[in-house]
Amino acid sequence: MRTQVLIIGAGPAGLLLSHLLRLAGVESVVLESRSREHCEHRIRAGVLEQGTVDTLNEAGLGARMQREGLVHHGIELLFDGKRHRIDLTTLTGGRAITVYGQHEVVRDMIASADEHEQPLYFGVSDVTLHDLATDGPWVGFTLDGAMQRIDCEFVAGCDGFHGIARQSIPHDALQIFERVYPYAWLGILADAAPNCGELVYAHHTRGFALFSMRSADVTRLYLQCRPDEDLSQWSDERIWAELHARFENDDGWLPSIGDITQKGVTPMRSFVCEPMQYGRLFLAGDAAHIVPPTGAKGMNLAVADVRVLSKALAAHYREGRGDLLHAYSTTCLERVWRAEHFSYFMTNMLHPSLEDSPFVERLKLSELRYVTSSDAASRMLAENYVGLPFHE
């Protein structure tokens, strides 16, 4: 087999890149180690920046998102027993966020790939990347027990933090920046209609908590916990009691209780590799960078990456230009580091830690009071939260 661009990974980054390349008249093939069912049902965060929503709509992928997505014009910060609203739309000139599950985005993209007969192979194994620093890279893999080879002109590594793409780059060709946080999130899905129209971020001496939602009938909630937390020690009753303790406030609002259908622990880390390209290999999404979930940037950064990469590849094939491909890493990293800083800022401000002295805890409370009382500070948080606009 042969194609122009070989894409590894059928998550949001890989699927969107394939779709954008098709619109630009560039051939691609997508390889995915997981099953189609796994990809379509893997629950991940679903807060979409305004730029991500615009990108999906412009690409013709937003019809179901427009019908079923929940548009939010603000968020709330809860501390000292009081709720404080940040008006995202007013502070950013009309921009907003949309709550729409990542697995729903993936389903929409796979359905589009089916409709347009885009080559998409699930359940591949033994993927190996070869001759990346030459004009003729190729990828080997096993599909249905048979060894296969695809020759290509470019490889896009969209296969996540543990994928083969970044591991195929020589160690001395990359610089790694990383921070591992001393806490994690215990997340649940609950069959309970969300009883607040916006996300609520709570800072409490017992630990951070987050109220979110996945649909009009399903609530998504998180509790700060230890990275090595034993889920067997967390009964449903204990989870709800802890959530209600951390969300306690002066107006009496608390999340509605419902049957918990999923529990999991999400570790928290920041990670960036530089550069995001090597020879004919280009990394996108979690393969190149990880952010803690507090800032809701993970999938949005992946979308931003493939916007840049798809335009660079289109310019290469349509106009014979190489400058945009050459600048890919530099262009993406400017947004990546802004998102890393914002995610670090939100995480540090909202999470108490055993390492915090009373002095540090007072600093965090001071910062929360400042961002909820100062127009300038509120605007900084709002414009970063809804996502900085694309300059193209």
Side-chain angles (χ1 to χ4, degrees):
M1 292 190 287
R2 184 171 189 84
T3 190
Q4 291 174 311
V5 181
L6 192 286
I7 301 170
I8 304 173
L15 291 169
L16 180 58
L17 178 59
S18 177
H19 184 88
L20 295 176
L21 291 177
R22 180 185 62 79
L23 294 178
V26 179
E27 297 175 352
S28 69
V29 173
V30 180
L31 303 180
E32 170 58 51
S33 64
R34 307 280 190 156
S35 68
R36 174 173 178 153
E37 181 180 11
H38 176 89
C39 293
E40 290 184 331
H41 294 87
R42 177 173 48 189
I43 303 297
R44 291 290 187 271
V47 176
L48 309 184
E49 294 178 354
Q50 183 69 63
T52 297
V53 171
D54 294 343
T55 298
L56 295 175
N57 286 332
E58 291 163 5
L61 294 166
R64 193 162 69 94
M65 174 186 64
Q66 292 180 54
R67 294 194 307 269
E68 301 177 13
L70 307 174
V71 179
H72 290 191
H73 299 284
I75 62 171
E76 293 189 12
L77 302 181
L78 192 165
F79 59 95
D80 283 342
K82 298 181 182 298
R83 296 159 63 186
H84 307 261
R85 185 172 186 268
I86 304 291
D87 190 330
L88 300 176
T89 300
T90 298
L91 291 165
T92 61
R95 297 166 71 80
I97 58 169
T98 297
V99 175
Y100 187 64
Q102 177 173 311
H103 64 291
E104 304 292 0
V105 175
V106 167
R107 288 177 186 173
D108 295 341
M109 292 180 184
I110 291 177
S112 177
D114 287 345
E115 179 184 353
H116 296 96
E117 299 182 342
Q118 282 292 103
L120 177 54
Y121 298 99
F122 292 98
V124 306
S125 59
D126 306 318
V127 177
T128 55
L129 281 57
H130 305 270
D131 299 336
L132 296 172
T134 74
D135 293 340
W138 61 278
V139 176
F141 61 98
T142 300
L143 179 64
D144 296 329
M147 291 294 298
Q148 305 279 351
R149 168 174 170 153
I150 297 183
D151 292 279
C152 55
E153 296 168 17
F154 297 96
V155 178
C158 306
D159 53 342
F161 181 78
H162 299 289
I164 190 64
R166 191 181 68 252
Q167 297 176 34
S168 300
I169 300 175
H171 293 305
D172 59 2
L174 289 178
Q175 189 171 8
I176 301 298
F177 303 88
E178 187 171 20
R179 172 181 171 80
V180 178
Y181 293 85
Y183 32 74
W185 282 6
L186 191 164
I188 65 166
L189 284 175
D191 286 338
N195 61 350
C196 180
E198 297 173 341
L199 277 68
V200 181
Y201 291 79
H203 173 99
H204 195 278
T205 55
R206 298 174 68 96
F208 167 80
L210 171 62
F211 169 89
S212 183
M213 62 284 294
R214 282 295 169 267
S215 70
D217 303 307
V218 178
T219 303
R220 181 70 157 162
L221 297 128
Y222 297 95
L223 288 168
Q224 179 183 341
C225 64
R226 301 191 313 272
D228 60 349
E229 197 71 56
D230 181 0
L231 278 177
S232 68
Q233 301 300 308
W234 286 85
S235 66
D236 292 4
E237 293 75 15
R238 182 186 176 192
I239 289 173
W240 287 116
E242 191 63 31
L243 283 166
H244 283 186
R246 297 187 191 187
F247 281 117
E248 184 180 5
N249 62 87
D250 62 353
D251 66 15
W253 170 83
L254 290 173
S256 296
I257 295 176
D259 292 336
I260 295 176
T261 59
Q262 185 185 90
K263 299 178 187 178
V265 174
T266 301
M268 302 183 68
R269 73 192 310 158
S270 299
F271 174 91
V272 180
C273 77
E274 295 187 9
M276 292 170 54
Q277 61 194 93
Y278 172 77
R280 292 292 183 107
L281 169 64
F282 296 83
L283 303 177
D286 287 358
H289 41 73
I290 298 286
V291 289
T294 326
K297 295 300 170 205
M299 182 170 64
N300 295 296
L301 278 181
V303 169
D305 289 347
V306 299
R307 277 182 64 105
V308 175
L309 184 54
S310 63
K311 293 178 184 297
L313 288 166
H316 168 80
Y317 284 109
R318 287 177 174 175
E319 308 166 39
R321 293 175 55 186
D323 57 317
L324 297 183
L325 283 173
H326 180 74
Y328 168 73
S329 181
T330 301
T331 302
C332 289
L333 285 170
E334 183 174 351
R335 179 179 288 266
V336 167
W337 279 114
R338 176 85 296 275
E340 290 283 355
H341 179 267
F342 178 68
S343 298
Y344 170 82
F345 157 75
M346 288 285 284
T347 302
N348 187 62
M349 177 175 65
L350 288 163
H351 290 73
S353 170
L354 293 176
E355 302 172 1
D356 289 349
S357 65
F359 177 83
V360 171
E361 174 61 17
R362 290 296 190 277
L363 290 179
K364 293 181 178 183
L365 288 170
S366 174
E367 192 159 34
L368 282 162
R369 295 183 187 112
Y370 180 57
V371 298
T372 54
S373 62
S374 162
D375 287 344
S378 296
R379 184 170 290 107
M380 179 280 297
L381 190 152
E383 69 176 10
N384 279 275
Y385 197 91
V386 302
L388 300 178
F390 297 113
H391 300 294
E392 300 167 341

